Amino acid sequence: MICIKSVLKLKLLYNFVLDAWSLWSLRVKFQVLYFFGYHLELPIWLTFAFFIIWFIGMINAINLIDGMDGLAGGSFLIICIGAAFIGWMNNNMAFSVIYMIVMGGLFGFLIFNGRPAKFFMGDTGSLFLGFTIAIMPILFFMTQTNREILDLT
């Protein structure tokens, strides 16, 4: 019999390794964070810790709302519509296309995930959507041609 605590520890370890690998592979070296018009200059280890906490939080938030029929998929569909629109408004077509592709997959999924659900997302789908929402700001910045900062405040 598998212990629940060991499964949760393994999932947290998996999240940490995936997040660290993603940040390393993208060569993300953000040492200045822009927040409500202020810029914070942080050491690289603190920036890395901030992004790891951000990734694990977003991944597990989407995983937690995957309990009801269509809740995680519908919520993320709205996020994808907004992300594609932001990319389109900033002439960032690579960012828009990525989220339009995810949007198309979610439309197909939500047809069968309505009440009563015939298909379920499960951990694989919810972890993918959580990772996608966590990496969204990094992808936006990396695909910007003029490297502008999107100030939403």
Side-chain angles (χ1 to χ4, degrees):
M1 186 163 167
I2 298 174
C3 179
I4 298 293
K5 286 184 179 182
S6 64
V7 170
L8 293 176
K9 287 179 185 177
L10 185 63
K11 191 184 285 188
L12 186 63
L13 178 67
Y14 164 74
N15 280 341
F16 181 79
V17 169
L18 175 70
D19 302 339
W21 176 78
S22 300
L23 291 173
W24 179 81
S25 67
L26 289 173
R27 306 290 193 271
V28 176
K29 293 183 174 128
F30 296 117
Q31 289 185 313
V32 178
L33 299 176
Y34 294 93
F35 185 69
F36 290 105
Y38 298 103
H39 67 281
L40 306 169
E41 294 184 28
L42 301 173
I44 193 69
W45 65 269
L46 192 58
T47 306
F48 183 76
F50 173 76
F51 276 111
I52 292 294
I53 292 169
W54 166 261
F55 270 65
I56 290 175
M58 288 293 108
I59 288 171
N60 288 317
I62 297 294
N63 194 19
L64 286 174
I65 66 169
D66 187 33
M68 294 174 28
D69 295 343
L71 181 62
S75 300
F76 201 77
L77 181 68
I78 294 169
I79 292 169
C80 282
I81 291 169
F85 181 73
I86 287 173
W88 178 67
M89 290 297 290
N90 288 290
N91 292 326
N92 192 342
M93 290 303 130
F95 185 78
S96 289
V97 167
I98 289 170
Y99 286 98
M100 282 191 244
I101 290 170
V102 175
M103 206 183 329
L106 283 173
F107 272 128
F109 170 73
L110 285 172
I111 291 171
F112 299 103
N113 191 244
R115 191 171 175 188
K118 296 180 181 102
F119 290 117
F120 297 99
M121 192 178 302
D123 277 348
T124 305
S126 64
L127 292 178
F128 168 73
L129 291 181
F131 178 76
T132 305
I133 195 172
I135 205 155
M136 184 183 297
I138 297 172
L139 280 178
F140 182 81
F141 181 75
M142 299 289 282
T143 56
Q144 274 295 91
T145 55
N146 54 3
R147 299 282 192 209
E148 291 178 358
I149 301 298
L150 180 63
D151 192 11
L152 296 176
T153 57

